[in-house]
Amino acid sequence: MNWLLSVALALACASCMAPTSGPEAESRPNIIVMLTDDQGWQDTSEPFAAERTPLNERYRTPEIERLADEGMKFTNAYSNAVCTPTRVELMTGLNQARTRVSNWTHFRGEPTDRPHPDLVIPKWNMNGLQPLRGIPLSVHAQTLPQQLQSAGYRTIHIGKGHFGTRDTPGEDPSAFGFDVRIGGRFSGAPGSYYGTDNFASDGDPAATPWRAWDMEKYFGQEIYLTEALTIEAVAAVRQAVADGKPFFLYFAHFAPHTPIQPDPRFVQRYLDAGLPKGEAAYASMIEGVDKSLGDIMDLLEDLGIDQGTAVFFTSDNGGLSLPSRRAGVPHTHNAPLNSGKGSTYEGGLRVPLVVKWPGVTAPGSVKSTPVTIEDFFPTILEIAGVEFGGQNGALNNHEGVVELGSELDGRSFVPLLRGEAGEPDRPLFWHFPHKWGGLRGPGPTGPGIGATSAVRRGDWKLVYWHIDGRKELFNLAEDIGEKHNLANDQPQVTADLSSLLGGFLREVDAVMPTRVATGELVPYPDEI
Ligand code: CA
């Protein structure tokens, strides 16, 4: 089981093992994770492909460039196809196939799947991550902020939560070990980005469940949500430093997720460049989160703590490449990647990632070794010097309660940060037995139809379609756009990756859809 990190003490809790105070806690590095929402791999002026692309020319993100100049850029970094699975993986170090939190979450007990014409979507853990065992259809697990809190960190949550459903304990990020909570709740988007709308117009009842929490002091003001959250993040960091506490800042921007609303600070630049209104608005939202990153980096320098702070910047899934109802055009395209958010093609999974850990990451360095969002959990714990005693949570599935066991799916990539080679052939897995989009999904290869599992090992990637058992094999080194299916040309590689993927899904007891026509479960990919 070389993809699993076994830990020795299955039932020990990290809080039993980690120091809670004293000089050791005070010398720990501060850690910042800035996570943007739906920002595609190419939605930045910092190039992540082998060559600069037209999208790199469109967007303006000088602060991501600055972070890359000062830190390490990852050109093969991954999240998941949609929001909640990424956020739960980051918080737990567990793969979405294991937790069964494999689609985005919303209201308690209500699946967000769109009906699939040919598949019955399986019972997944649609209530998301929960701080208790007793919530049906959820995963309860040790979280990253709980571990860091126990080790003496001030844990700060700014922005979007989206861990658990409305009217469950998991709708409140505070329940997962955050000392400070600003903004986050169950919702996957804000009702509005404008303070003048109170961040969700009272005249629009459909929007009010989406209103960000804790932002009342900005109601009625001419301020954009990205900016208001940054002000709050700066204040929380200043307070932690004043209190002499190392801090973990999880800053999950809502932007550039829908609703696509222009950030007035930046939009004119893109209109002047000739972009249509929707795309100009999207570009302004990207520049807004970039400005936020710069404000945080400036703060670290002003406080004299930049050398003692590790900064991660990434996105939670690929760019939204379907036309939105409001704007009518796709906001981004992810080219040269295929597809976008909601897909297990590269356009749905691949994200920008830059890490600056002063004294460890070489300035301006680039890593091509694949890493994924579930790796953040063990990586950050290693940076913090926290020993993890093992997951001791449980799944509360349709069938009953199942103990999680001691394994993590994530692997620390601290060796990569140190400049070592890592494990380029370590397999990465995605499992998405859902139909996410579909309102305007562009046919059988777009995110609209959904329901796939995928594995990447080295340069090879296999996509397994639940609808008909079809297998697609791509060589990403030669075909990053996944245009040339080599499954028939490379039967041994196809069989090997099918076996690898099937073995993993079987190991974690992944749920599969049922085919409407036959009433039979979709087999694992090595069973056909
Ligand atoms: Ca997202």
Side-chain angles (χ1 to χ4, degrees):
M1 300 306 154
N2 65 356
W3 61 82
L4 298 175
L5 175 64
S6 294
V7 283
L9 301 170
L11 297 176
C13 70
S15 59
C16 308
M17 307 176 66
T20 56
S21 62
E24 190 176 343
E26 282 154 22
S27 66
R28 294 173 187 269
N30 306 304
I31 297 164
I32 296 175
V33 174
M34 184 173 282
L35 181 72
T36 56
D37 195 354
D38 291 9
Q39 180 178 9
W41 191 55
Q42 291 298 299
D43 298 347
T44 162
S45 52
E46 175 68 34
F48 284 81
E51 296 173 348
R52 290 189 69 82
T53 66
L55 291 174
N56 295 147
E57 303 303 326
R58 169 186 297 189
Y59 298 111
R60 184 173 181 277
T61 61
E63 304 300 339
I64 298 174
E65 293 180 40
R66 170 184 169 193
L67 189 65
D69 288 345
E70 297 177 5
M72 179 176 283
K73 173 169 73 173
F74 288 81
T75 55
N76 285 275
Y78 290 96
S79 285
N80 295 295
V82 293
C83 295
T84 310
T86 283
R87 290 156 200 274
V88 174
E89 289 193 5
L90 198 164
M91 286 295 133
T92 67
L94 299 174
N95 187 276
Q96 76 273 13
R98 187 185 297 275
T99 64
R100 301 188 184 180
V101 182
S102 46
N103 202 355
W104 67 286
T105 53
H106 196 45
F107 293 158
R108 182 169 183 152
E110 295 183 22
T112 55
D113 308 290
R114 299 207 183 272
H116 196 291
D118 302 307
L119 296 172
V120 178
I121 302 302
K123 295 281 187 188
W124 56 287
N125 282 340
M126 61 187 69
N127 284 321
L129 180 64
Q130 295 292 338
L132 308 167
R133 287 174 174 245
I135 310 298
L137 298 177
S138 73
V139 59
H140 164 64
Q142 303 291 310
T143 68
L144 181 59
Q146 283 169 342
Q147 306 302 305
L148 295 170
Q149 189 182 52
S150 296
Y153 275 79
R154 172 76 49 82
T155 51
I156 304 165
H157 181 288
I158 305 287
K160 172 168 157 172
H162 209 191
F163 303 119
T165 45
R166 188 174 70 170
D167 301 327
T168 64
E171 74 174 322
D172 182 353
S174 306
F176 298 114
F178 285 108
D179 297 315
V180 177
R181 181 210 73 203
I182 303 288
R185 56 189 297 209
F186 74 94
S187 59
S192 166
Y193 284 94
Y194 297 129
T196 48
D197 284 344
N198 299 347
F199 303 112
S201 170
D202 289 324
D204 181 1
T208 50
W210 302 77
R211 176 181 283 138
W213 276 345
D214 313 312
M215 305 305 288
E216 288 78 4
K217 71 170 116 167
Y218 300 99
F219 282 7
Q221 291 190 28
E222 290 196 3
I223 191 166
Y224 200 80
L225 181 55
T226 302
E227 175 71 358
L229 291 172
T230 305
I231 292 169
E232 293 298 312
V234 167
V237 167
R238 285 189 182 279
Q239 189 63 53
V241 172
D243 293 343
K245 299 276 281 185
F247 64 85
F248 169 58
L249 169 62
Y250 173 67
F251 192 171
H253 274 293
F254 288 91
H257 195 289
T258 56
I260 304 299
Q261 296 174 315
D263 188 328
R265 298 173 294 169
F266 306 109
V267 70
Q268 193 59 44
R269 183 197 318 281
Y270 302 99
L271 293 170
D272 291 346
L275 286 181
K277 275 171 63 177
E279 291 175 80
Y282 182 77
S284 75
M285 296 170 84
I286 297 279
E287 188 164 350
V289 293
D290 185 77
K291 167 71 160 51
S292 174
L293 174 64
D295 288 350
I296 297 297
M297 291 170 69
D298 289 347
L299 173 69
L300 300 179
E301 291 178 5
D302 290 347
L303 294 173
I305 57 173
D306 55 309
Q307 292 304 303
T309 304
V311 179
F312 294 70
F313 179 91
T314 193
S315 174
D316 72 333
N317 50 250
L320 179 65
S321 60
L322 292 176
S324 80
R325 261 179 282 192
R326 290 193 193 193
V329 294
H331 314 300
T332 190
H333 312 280
N334 304 308
L337 307 182
N338 188 2
S339 199
K341 178 180 181 178
S343 170
T344 58
Y345 286 134
E346 294 289 294
L349 305 177
R350 199 183 275 239
V351 289
L353 170 62
V354 184
V355 184
K356 175 189 175 188
W357 185 12
V360 178
T361 50
S365 54
V366 179
K367 271 290 172 195
S368 60
T369 311
V371 295
T372 187
I373 194 75
E374 67 215 42
D375 299 339
F376 277 47
F377 183 101
T379 300
I380 288 171
L381 291 185
E382 185 171 350
I383 290 173
V386 175
E387 291 230 21
F388 183 57
Q391 282 292 355
N392 63 358
L395 305 171
N396 200 327
N397 290 336
H398 190 59
E399 302 93 332
V401 175
V402 181
E403 295 299 316
L404 270 173
S406 60
E407 288 131 348
L408 287 184
D409 298 303
R411 290 262 188 99
S412 171
F413 54 89
V414 164
L416 299 179
L417 300 179
R418 295 190 193 285
E420 296 163 16
E423 301 171 86
D425 286 337
R426 170 204 168 202
L428 303 181
F429 301 101
W430 297 271
H431 184 55
F432 194 65
H434 306 281
K435 179 171 165 60
W436 168 75
L439 291 179
R440 298 155 300 276
T445 64
I449 200 70
T452 53
S453 304
V455 55
R456 175 176 177 171
R457 184 175 64 183
D459 292 334
W460 293 105
K461 180 172 167 198
L462 182 85
V463 178
Y464 174 61
W465 289 82
H466 301 168
I467 185 172
D468 56 6
R470 176 164 92 254
K471 294 174 183 175
E472 295 175 313
L473 180 72
F474 304 106
N475 185 315
L476 296 177
E478 296 168 0
D479 178 26
I480 199 170
E482 296 170 293
K483 291 182 171 63
H484 306 293
N485 178 9
L486 302 175
N488 291 331
D489 299 331
Q490 297 282 348
Q492 191 57 53
V493 179
T494 302
D496 289 348
L497 290 188
S498 296
S499 176
L500 196 58
L501 179 57
F504 175 73
L505 296 174
R506 195 173 291 110
E507 166 77 20
V508 302
D509 197 20
V511 287
M512 300 298 283
T514 303
R515 294 203 175 114
V516 171
T518 62
E520 293 173 349
L521 268 183
V522 173
Y524 289 141
D526 52 347
E527 293 168 350
I528 61 168

